Amino acid sequence: MAGLGFKIAAAPFHFYAPDVYQGTSNPATAILAVAPKVAGFFILVRVVTLALPGVEDSGWWLAGVMAAVTMTWGNVVALWQDNLRRLLAYSSIAHAGYMLIGLTMSLAAAGKSAGGFDAIAAVFFYLAIYSLATVGFLAALTYLGQTGREVNNVDELAGISRTQPLVALAMAVFLFSMAGIPPLAGFWGKLMLFG
C-alpha cells in the first residue's frame, strides 16, 4: 500500500509531488500528473481486488483513512499555493483521495450485495475525467506560455479573459470540472464515487 500510495500521490506518501510538479514544465507535469496515477490505480485495484483475497475485512478501513487524510490534506494545503503547478499537485493529491473512496467502498462491500454504482467502475470513470481535465488545463497553460513568458503563478492569470477569452473559458471549464461543479463531468464522477 505504501509503494502504490507513493505512485498515486496519496497522503502520507505524497511529499514528492508538489516539488516535482513545480520544478518541471507544463507538458512534463501533465505526464507526471496522469500517467503514474492511472498506472497506480490500475495496479492497486488489481492487487487489492484479485491478488489479495481476504483483505477486505481489514483493508477497507486502511483505504478509508488514507482517503480521508489525502482529501483533507490536498484540499487544505492547496488553499495556500500561489504557483499553478504546485496548486495542481495538491489538487492531484486530493483527487487521489476521492478515488480511494471507491476502493474503500469496493473493499467494504465485498461479498455483499450493494445497491448504487459499482465502486471500481466509479474509480476508473473519475480517473478518466480527472486525466482529461488535468491535461486540458496544463495544455491551456502551455498555450499561454507560447507568447514567450511562461505562466507560473495564479496572479499571472489576471485579465486573461480579456486577452484570451477562449483559453480562459477552457481553463474555467477544466477547473470547474475538477472542482465538481454541475453539470460538468467532474460532478458526475464525484457523484458516482460518493454514490
Side-chain angles (χ1 to χ4, degrees):
M1 195 66 171
L4 291 172
F6 178 83
K7 181 68 79 182
I8 63 173
F13 312 106
H14 68 283
F15 288 107
Y16 74 95
D19 294 331
V20 171
Y21 283 32
Q22 185 177 2
T24 189
S25 65
N26 290 326
T29 301
I31 293 168
L32 291 170
V34 173
K37 201 169 291 300
V38 169
F41 270 102
F42 271 102
I43 294 168
L44 184 61
V45 166
R46 188 88 168 151
V47 166
V48 170
T49 59
L50 297 176
L52 296 174
V55 300
E56 295 88 2
D57 292 336
S58 60
W60 72 267
W61 64 268
L62 175 62
V65 168
M66 279 184 67
V69 170
T70 301
M71 286 184 295
T72 304
W73 182 257
N75 284 315
V76 169
V77 177
L79 294 172
W80 293 302
Q81 303 308 313
D82 292 329
N83 184 280
L84 286 167
R85 288 191 300 270
R86 196 167 185 87
L87 174 70
L88 199 62
Y90 283 107
S91 171
S92 174
I93 292 165
H95 287 288
Y98 298 140
M99 289 179 256
L100 282 171
I101 291 173
L103 182 66
T104 301
M105 294 315 300
S106 174
L107 291 170
K112 303 176 184 100
S113 64
F117 300 109
D118 177 23
I120 298 302
V123 169
F124 290 126
F125 180 70
Y126 191 86
L127 185 60
I129 292 167
Y130 160 79
S131 299
L132 291 172
T134 301
V135 169
F137 180 74
L138 287 165
L141 284 181
T142 302
Y143 176 79
L144 290 174
Q146 290 178 345
T147 60
R149 193 192 83 201
E150 189 171 296
V151 178
N152 290 317
N153 292 325
V154 175
D155 296 340
E156 295 173 15
L157 292 177
I160 200 77
S161 64
R162 286 187 298 267
T163 59
Q164 298 279 343
L166 292 176
V167 176
L169 176 65
M171 290 174 74
V173 167
F174 294 133
L175 289 174
F176 287 153
S177 183
M178 281 192 266
I181 305 297
L184 299 172
F187 167 76
W188 297 107
K190 286 182 180 168
L191 180 67
M192 282 187 71
L193 280 174
F194 293 132

